[in-house]
């Protein structure tokens, strides 16, 4: 269980760092086209799914 929890934390940290960097790039390169929202949204769905699996597995382990 600890491994899955750590993977969710790592996923979230990488998400914040990469999306933050891409946001800065978007603002610098093409401020009139906000493409970062699609990247953040799509990757956010993956992060939400990963977190949901962790939460379900955690709940199952507590039974």
């Amino acid at each position: 269980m600890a491994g899955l929890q750590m993977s969710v934390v790592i996923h979230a940290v990488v998400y914040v760092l990469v999306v933050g960097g891409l946001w800065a790039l978007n603002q610098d390169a093409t401020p009139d086209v906000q493409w970062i929202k699609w990247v953040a949204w799509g990757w956010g769905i993956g992060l939400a799914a990963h977190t949901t699996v962790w939460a379900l597995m955690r709940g199952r382990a507590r039974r």
Side-chain angles (χ1 to χ4, degrees), residues 1-51:
M1 241 16 227
L4 184 57
Q5 181 178 1
M6 182 56 85
S7 71
V8 171
V9 170
I10 291 169
H11 192 168
V13 169
V14 170
Y15 173 83
V16 168
L17 292 174
V18 172
V19 169
L22 289 174
W23 177 83
L25 178 66
N26 185 193
Q27 296 307 306
D28 184 52
T30 55
D32 53 323
V33 179
Q34 294 297 313
W35 50 262
I36 185 60
K37 63 185 171 188
W38 301 111
V39 176
W41 185 77
W43 193 347
I45 290 172
L47 180 57
H50 192 172
T51 304

